[in-house]
């Protein structure tokens, strides 16, 4: 019992509780975020890239609890870009990880030199359209790089999407709003607007909250933008994209429920990685005829920093066992205290708020019955004893947070 708690403290040993206050920062020790990226996601990214070319619009689904990341709260003296309201040295703009795409048609610049049979752009005269040259001399590359520099601050955002920004109409759905702190919404919206992201919908796919806003918005955006390769088609093809477990499949099911009065078309689950492959198109609306393509959730190969990874893990985007339930539970406690969300005190029967994970988990185990039977060898024979299970308590603590039982908490 003590050993496990000791391990937790060793893993997350930081400045420790400040007398009369809470930890001011969380020390992640020497944890390496690289091991949290499952390699198979590279395949998902490749599959999505192909689907992206056929899409009329992108719906990016993200978790409303991690909708503003550290760009809103950068370390002192550091900012993400010149638009930031914080002073300091700007971080470099994000670098596109995949081949840049032409902003006027769905063709990859590197894959399709002019004249390209794939390019059906009716507007651009031949050269310089798809003129291939070193990046420094290609005007398209510089445009794309510029667009990708529009950095929308979202923890764990897919880099492919940054690259595609400005090429397709884009809607950002901040899902699970029922779990996020509603007081943060205006700040998040304002910040996203400053970053050039103005089509944002907060949603709750379990109760169909705000889902009705999505189809009219998609119709308006697609109607107002050139469709080039798909001008003759009346069907709208929409790619749904986002990190694992944010509710992409739930969104599709919710739209079908509302507009077609039909049941589930795509599997939903509490673990990341339920959607395994880029699926065929799923109809969600008749007027206009709208089809959504569900995609497997993918994490960016570079998560950035450990704290970003930890937030994603708390929201269920990374498998718990890759990160470790012990440190996740401690980071959750640190966050709840930082956000002054003290519902856990009453739920687990604590006398007062606490910054030490061991007594909190002890109370979780006691109140939620997280115990285990162990056989103890004594001089007079074996004795069966009931012990508190700290790993099970940590798991319960995380489950309670994810179900909203510890309050509505925005992690960023
Ligand atoms: N509280 C709450 N839970 C939601 C909401 N939307 C989805 N969920 C839950 O979140 C979990 C993940 O939902 P999915 O729709 O499978 O997520 P996904 O993004 O398709 O997941 P992957 O297939 O792993 O990429 C499920 O347990 C859903 O019930 C929401 O708006 N609020």
């Amino acid at each position: 019992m003590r050993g496990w708690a000791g391990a937790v403290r060793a893993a997350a040993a930081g400045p420790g509780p400040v007398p009369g206050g809470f930890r001011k920062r969380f020390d992640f020790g020497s944890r390496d975020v690289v091991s949290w990226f499952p390699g198979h996601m590279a395949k998902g990214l490749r599959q999505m890239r192909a689907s992206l070319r056929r899409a009329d619009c992108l719906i990016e689904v993200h978790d409303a609890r991690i909708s503003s990341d550290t760009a809103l709260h950068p370390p002192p003296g550091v900012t993400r870009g010149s638009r930031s309201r914080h002073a300091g040295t700007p971080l470099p703009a994000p670098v596109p990880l995949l081949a840049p795409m032409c902003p006027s048609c769905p063709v990859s610049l590197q894959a399709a030199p002019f004249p390209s049979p794939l390019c059906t752009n009716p507007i651009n005269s031949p050269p310089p359209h798809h003129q291939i040259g070193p990046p420094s001399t290609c005007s398209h590359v510089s445009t794309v790089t510029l667009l990708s520099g529009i950095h929308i601050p979202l923890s764990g955002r897919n880099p492919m999407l940054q690259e595609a920004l400005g090429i397709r109409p884009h809607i950002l759905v901040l899902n699970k709003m029922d779990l996020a702190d509603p007081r943060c919404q205006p700040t998040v919206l304002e910040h996203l607007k400053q970053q050039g992201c103005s089509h944002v919908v907060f949603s709750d796919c379990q109760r169909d909250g705000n889902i009705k806003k999505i189809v009219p918005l998609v119709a308006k955006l697609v109607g107002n933008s050139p469709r080039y390769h798909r001008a003759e088609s009346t069907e709208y093809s929409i790619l749904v994209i986002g990190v694992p477990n944010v509710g992409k499949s739930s969104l599709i099911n919710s739209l079908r429920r509302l507009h077609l009065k039909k049941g589930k078309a795509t599997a939903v689950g509490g673990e990341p990685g339920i959607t395994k492959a880029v699926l065929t198109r799923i109809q969600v609306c008749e007027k206009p005829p709208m089809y959504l393509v569900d995609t497997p959730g993918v994490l960016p190969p570079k998560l950035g920093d450990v704290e970003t990874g930890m937030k994603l893990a708390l929201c269920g985007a990374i498998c718990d066992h890759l990160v470790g339930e012990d440190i996740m539970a401690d980071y959750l406690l640190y966050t709840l205290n930082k956000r002054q969300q003290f519902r856990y005190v009453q739920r687990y029967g604590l006398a007062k708020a606490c910054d030490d994970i061991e007594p909190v988990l002890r109370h979780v185990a006691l109140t939620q019955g997280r115990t285990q039977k162990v056989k103890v060898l004594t001089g007079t024979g074996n004795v069966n004893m009931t012990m508190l299970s700290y790993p099970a308590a940590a798991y319960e603590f995380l489950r309670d947070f994810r179900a909203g039982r510890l309050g509505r908490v925005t992690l960023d």
Side-chain angles (χ1 to χ4, degrees):
M1 189 169 90
R2 281 260 160 224
W4 193 87
V8 169
R9 272 198 293 273
V18 180
F22 298 110
R23 282 170 287 184
K24 296 280 182 281
R25 66 179 189 89
F26 192 88
D27 189 341
F28 294 96
S30 58
R31 268 157 213 271
D32 184 5
V33 79
V34 173
S35 58
W36 299 352
F37 175 74
H40 67 264
M41 286 190 182
K43 186 179 162 205
L45 272 170
R46 274 199 306 275
Q47 287 176 316
M48 264 191 268
R49 187 176 173 75
S51 303
L52 186 59
R53 293 181 193 146
R54 293 188 289 271
D56 293 305
C57 177
L58 298 174
I59 296 184
E60 180 183 15
V61 189
H62 208 77
D63 196 307
R65 290 168 295 178
I66 41 175
S67 50
S68 58
D69 103 342
T70 43
L72 282 176
H73 316 281
V78 178
T79 72
R80 292 242 174 196
S82 52
R83 292 175 196 218
S84 170
R85 56 199 166 85
H86 300 271
T89 316
L91 292 180
V95 178
L97 294 177
L98 298 159
M101 291 171 74
C102 169
S104 341
C105 79
V107 174
S108 161
L109 285 168
Q110 284 171 17
F114 180 84
S116 162
L118 292 171
C119 175
T120 53
N121 184 348
I123 295 172
N124 279 289
S125 51
H129 190 66
H130 283 288
Q131 194 173 29
I132 297 299
S136 56
T137 61
C138 175
S139 61
H140 282 174
V141 171
S142 60
T143 314
V144 172
T145 308
L146 199 78
L147 287 166
S148 71
I150 300 171
H151 180 78
I152 297 178
L154 298 172
S155 292
R157 192 154 201 257
N158 188 327
M160 187 180 69
L161 206 90
Q162 286 183 33
E163 176 197 322
L165 273 180
I167 301 169
R168 296 277 180 277
H170 164 257
I171 296 172
L172 178 62
V173 173
L174 293 176
N175 192 37
K176 307 196 185 184
M177 68 171 183
D178 53 307
L179 301 177
D181 188 338
R183 292 169 302 178
C184 297
Q185 281 193 14
T187 321
V188 168
L189 285 174
E190 179 54 34
H191 191 76
L192 289 170
K193 203 169 160 196
Q194 279 174 23
Q195 302 289 328
C197 182
S198 41
H199 306 300
V200 183
V201 178
F202 279 92
S203 71
D204 172 357
C205 288
Q206 285 193 333
R207 292 163 204 81
D208 299 337
N210 281 349
I211 301 296
K212 276 205 168 128
K213 293 182 179 173
I214 293 173
V215 164
L217 184 56
V218 171
K220 188 177 117 192
L221 293 179
V222 175
N224 290 344
S225 68
R227 294 178 77 204
Y228 305 121
H229 62 304
R230 305 182 34 81
E232 72 294 344
S233 171
T234 53
E235 292 174 357
Y236 292 8
S237 185
I238 322 293
L239 193 68
V240 182
I241 195 168
V243 298
N245 216 30
V246 284
K248 298 177 292 301
S249 305
S250 301
L251 174 68
I252 293 178
N253 291 334
S254 176
L255 284 164
R256 273 172 70 84
R257 217 166 27 234
L258 279 176
H259 295 282
L260 296 179
K261 311 276 177 261
K262 294 219 168 121
K264 280 185 188 168
T266 177
V268 167
E271 298 287 314
I274 295 291
T275 308
K276 298 282 185 226
V278 176
L279 300 179
T280 47
R281 299 185 315 155
I282 300 164
Q283 188 166 17
V284 293
C285 185
E286 256 164 12
K287 284 184 190 159
M290 201 174 279
Y291 292 81
L292 261 56
V293 180
D294 198 4
T295 64
V298 287
L299 293 166
K302 285 184 185 155
L303 277 176
D305 54 76
V306 185
E307 187 147 21
T308 300
M310 190 61 80
K311 289 174 189 170
L312 285 163
L314 281 185
C315 291
I318 301 176
C319 287
D320 295 349
H321 68 88
L322 290 177
V323 180
E325 282 96 341
D326 49 2
I327 191 164
M328 285 170 66
D330 196 22
Y331 182 76
L332 174 57
L333 177 65
Y334 159 79
T335 305
L336 292 174
N337 288 332
K338 199 165 93 176
R339 298 266 173 264
Q340 311 240 319
Q341 287 278 1
F342 299 126
R343 206 185 277 191
Y344 70 89
V345 174
Q346 194 189 6
R347 180 166 176 81
Y348 305 130
L350 286 140
K352 57 181 170 55
C354 170
D355 209 16
D356 187 350
I357 190 65
E358 195 268 343
V360 173
L361 291 185
R362 186 168 1 105
H363 278 77
V364 175
L366 282 168
T367 55
Q368 311 298 307
R370 299 293 144 196
T371 54
Q372 59 189 10
K373 294 228 173 349
V374 288
K375 213 173 248 178
V376 179
L377 296 177
T378 69
T380 52
N382 297 347
V383 179
N384 284 326
M385 285 181 67
T386 302
M387 307 268 288
L388 300 179
S389 170
Y390 279 75
Y395 178 67
E396 188 67 23
F397 190 39
L398 296 174
R399 252 174 41 126
D400 279 349
F401 163 71
R402 288 170 180 158
R405 290 190 282 268
L406 303 180
R408 296 175 69 174
V409 186
T410 296
L411 299 173
D412 279 332

